[in-house]
Amino acid sequence: MFSFFDSKEKKIKEILKDGKAVLLAFDHAIEHGPSSYEGIDISPERIARIASEGEADGIIVHIGVARKIKKFLKNVPLIVKITARTSLVSDENQMQEIVTSVKEAKDVGAKAVALTVYFGSERESEMLRNFSIVKQEAIKHKMPIFGFAYPRGKKLKSKYDEEAIRYAARAGAEIGFDVVKTYYTGNKESFSKVVKDCFVPVLVAGGPKIEDEKEFLNIVKDIMSVGASGVAIGRNVWMREDEKAIQLLKEIKKVVHS
Ligand code: FBP
């Protein structure tokens, strides 16, 4: 019998409480390598403090980080990323492999799992097959899947191509992502089409750090004005000095939940 109290829907509601969310993403050190963040303290404990004091609606980390920070997180739902890649492989061969099971994520206290599919990649079919395996496990454990729907591949001029982002987001919804996370297309007109065609909540990645905080907040306003369900931001928050990162997170929350 269906019980809301132990359901996927309840877990989604614990993250997207009013249907919207500001998540702190911190899966970068494996994807891009620590030297990409020279001079920034990328210790798990620091990121947990920023998420807790900035009152993020959730934090996305890999299992190793999750185990470290679990005890420091104050009322911040944990979302465990279960696929990974490094940047040590060539760009053409980039794919995300399953590195953590849904059960492991659940056992560490996660409310949801996250994974990436590079739609359009030469290795798309492997990631789709992996997704079907993860989905079975997620159904068994009643865990929501936050899918990063990112365009890649030789056909694209850029991974930020508007139509490719629209296509990837739709594809994620079609195959069963409960929440889609994708890139911002860079303008409201094209992003409104991404949201319109994606019939599940859409969260937007923050992208490379923008120095001017007001400029970044204006982008978040634009994203929200065309129907996005929030943001899942990494570099634009934790690449700032601690107190500024916490303050910005709070301001982003005001914009998203207004
Ligand atoms: P940012 O807000 O820093 O862009 O983080 C969002 C994110 O999806 C991360 O979770 C991930 O590590 C990174 O972007 C991937 O970026 P890219 O696809 O450009 O390598």
Side-chain angles (χ1 to χ4, degrees):
M1 202 180 75
F2 177 80
S3 157
F4 181 75
F5 295 101
D6 177 33
S7 65
K8 177 176 90 173
E9 288 71 19
K10 178 169 183 281
K11 294 185 185 94
I12 294 174
K13 206 71 192 140
E14 286 175 50
I15 301 167
L16 284 87
K17 295 185 190 73
D18 57 355
K20 295 171 188 164
V22 176
L23 308 180
L24 188 62
F26 183 59
D27 56 338
H28 303 63
I30 178 161
E31 294 202 6
H32 300 287
S35 62
S36 304
Y37 312 106
E38 215 64 80
I40 309 285
D41 178 358
I42 53 168
S43 63
E45 293 81 358
R46 171 178 176 257
I47 306 300
R49 182 177 162 254
I50 293 172
S52 298
E53 295 193 16
E55 297 168 10
D57 297 310
I59 181 169
I60 306 169
V61 292
H62 278 280
I63 193 85
V65 174
R67 289 192 185 121
K68 272 245 170 255
I69 65 173
K70 211 186 136 192
K71 59 177 180 290
F72 303 116
L73 286 176
K74 295 183 200 123
N75 301 320
V76 181
L78 195 54
I79 299 161
V80 171
K81 182 93 190 276
I82 60 169
T83 64
R85 66 154 174 99
T86 72
S87 290
L88 297 168
V89 287
S90 60
D91 287 354
E92 311 81 68
N93 278 310
Q94 263 182 25
M95 78 155 266
Q96 296 235 351
E97 185 55 273
I98 304 171
V99 291
T100 299
S101 70
V102 176
K103 170 132 188 352
E104 268 178 284
K106 195 177 184 185
D107 287 349
V108 83
K111 295 286 177 200
V113 293
L115 54 81
T116 299
V117 174
Y118 294 130
F119 289 100
S121 147
E122 297 295 298
R123 303 187 65 183
E124 180 192 81
S125 60
E126 289 170 70
M127 286 175 277
L128 292 179
R129 200 174 317 122
N130 278 346
F131 176 66
S132 73
I133 295 165
V134 167
K135 196 165 44 171
Q136 292 313 310
E137 226 208 330
I139 290 167
K140 190 168 135 206
H141 294 288
K142 300 174 182 151
M143 288 284 269
I145 300 174
F146 283 53
F148 299 5
Y150 288 162
R152 283 291 193 278
K154 290 184 186 157
K155 274 182 159 183
L156 303 182
K157 279 183 242 102
S158 149
K159 64 186 183 185
Y160 301 114
D161 179 275
E162 296 173 1
E163 288 312 321
I165 292 173
R166 184 179 177 191
Y167 196 160
R170 174 69 188 216
E174 294 269 352
I175 64 174
F177 290 1
D178 295 297
V179 175
V180 162
K181 173 185 172 191
T182 195
Y183 303 128
Y184 185 42
T185 54
N187 64 79
K188 290 203 281 184
E189 197 198 343
S190 59
F191 204 73
S192 67
K193 293 187 195 165
V194 175
V195 176
K196 184 173 157 284
D197 286 333
C198 182
F199 49 86
V200 300
V202 180
L203 303 180
V204 183
K209 185 184 169 196
I210 295 171
E211 282 305 327
D212 185 349
E213 287 153 21
K214 281 208 184 87
E215 188 184 335
F216 185 70
L217 283 169
N218 282 333
I219 294 173
V220 177
K221 279 181 196 152
D222 285 350
I223 287 167
M224 295 309 293
S225 74
V226 293
S229 297
V231 287
I233 302 171
R235 292 164 284 183
N236 267 291
V237 171
W238 51 255
M239 283 183 84
R240 294 177 206 280
E241 180 266 311
D242 290 18
E243 297 318 308
K244 282 196 175 157
I246 292 165
Q247 189 54 37
L248 183 60
L249 206 44
K250 288 183 176 169
E251 282 171 31
I252 296 167
K253 277 196 73 180
K254 276 189 213 147
V255 172
V256 167
H257 293 290
S258 67

